[in-house]
Amino acid sequence: MSIAAEITELGASFFRRGLTFGRTGNISAVDADGTVLCTPTGVALDRLRPQALSRITIGGDHLDGPAPTKEAFLHLALYRARPTARAVVHTHSTHSVAVSCLRDVDRSNALPVLTAYYAMRVGALPLLPYYAPGDPELGPTAELVAADHHALLLANHGPIVAGADLAEAADALEEIEETAKVYLLLHGRAVAPVPDDEARRLEEKYR
């Protein structure tokens, strides 16, 4: 399957399962020639077509197709910070966004390690400061933090994740959303997260 087909299939899956809605969220992946295919601006993820994606360079030049998502700069920041990354996914998933709006969140790690899979696929989730969607001022901040973390939570906005491929990035994003859901269900109750030593062992083994 081509990278373009993978992007459209994943976008439809995200939309169908309620991981994003309306014309929100964006997806990108590095193609075989080193350019970046990304979702265009103003298109719902269930309406993507392989032949109607935007193609840009890592430097941000628009090469082909419709105008790229206004958050393409954010994807490029993660690619620069993480040279082995070949895909980036960003959604406005409801429970993750809810966590990003809480006052009492640890900004260095927005979610506790409630499951082994969270340790394996995410590890830690820094909460970045609020910026308006599409504000390029977020780029340098995201790039700096992404050097040490492949998954970020944007305040009052949603998660963004880089991965070795689209499947890996999607797995981590989905794990963030499910953990956020569990976290909110347990909020205000005494919680027994995965022990720190075990969480570190799993992260080191699988990340």
Side-chain angles (χ1 to χ4, degrees), residues 20-41:
T20 199
F21 51 88
R23 293 185 291 176
T24 66
N26 31 78
I27 302 170
S28 71
V30 179
D31 209 350
D33 62 0
T35 61
V36 177
L37 279 174
C38 65
T39 51
T41 187

Side-chain angles (χ1 to χ4, degrees), residues 14 24 28 47 74-75 86 90 98 112 130 182:
F14 277 172
T24 66
S28 71
R47 300 288 183 178
L74 194 52
H75 290 239
R86 305 293 288 180
H90 165 56
Y130 171 78
V182 172

Side-chain angles (χ1 to χ4, degrees), residues 2-194:
S2 70
I3 292 293
E6 287 186 45
I7 289 173
T8 58
E9 184 177 272
L10 181 61
S13 174
F14 277 172
F15 192 96
R16 186 172 60 250
R17 292 180 291 140
L19 284 160
T20 199
F21 51 88
R23 293 185 291 176
T24 66
N26 31 78
I27 302 170
S28 71
V30 179
D31 209 350
D33 62 0
T35 61
V36 177
L37 279 174
C38 65
T39 51
T41 187
V43 178
L45 293 189
D46 68 331
R47 300 288 183 178
L48 300 173
R49 298 294 178 267
Q51 66 275 19
L53 298 178
S54 179
R55 187 179 296 274
I56 59 178
T57 68
I58 289 290
D61 296 323
H62 183 200
L63 299 176
D64 193 22
T69 168
K70 66 178 178 293
E71 292 175 324
F73 73 91
L74 194 52
H75 290 239
L76 298 178
L78 267 64
Y79 288 126
R80 288 193 298 270
R82 308 190 69 80
T84 61
R86 305 293 288 180
V88 174
V89 294
H90 165 56
T91 62
H92 297 185
S93 306
T94 301
H95 299 89
S96 302
V97 174
V99 170
S100 82
C101 298
L102 295 174
R103 285 182 182 270
D104 58 350
V105 168
D106 179 354
R107 302 193 78 87
S108 68
N109 190 14
L111 287 169
V113 181
L114 296 175
T115 67
Y117 276 96
Y118 187 83
M120 293 157 59
R121 293 176 173 167
V122 181
L125 183 68
L127 176 65
L128 271 57
Y130 171 78
Y131 288 86
D135 185 347
E137 293 296 318
L138 174 56
T141 299
E143 185 172 348
L144 181 66
V145 180
D148 295 317
H149 302 279
H150 71 292
L152 312 173
L153 185 60
L154 312 180
N156 309 90
H157 191 160
I160 185 165
V161 181
D165 53 31
L166 284 165
E168 181 179 288
D171 282 348
L173 186 137
E174 292 167 22
E175 199 66 41
I176 290 168
E177 175 63 5
E178 287 304 305
T179 301
K181 187 184 301 184
V182 172
Y183 175 73
L184 292 169
L185 284 170
L186 295 171
H187 205 55
R189 304 186 67 179
V191 171
V194 175

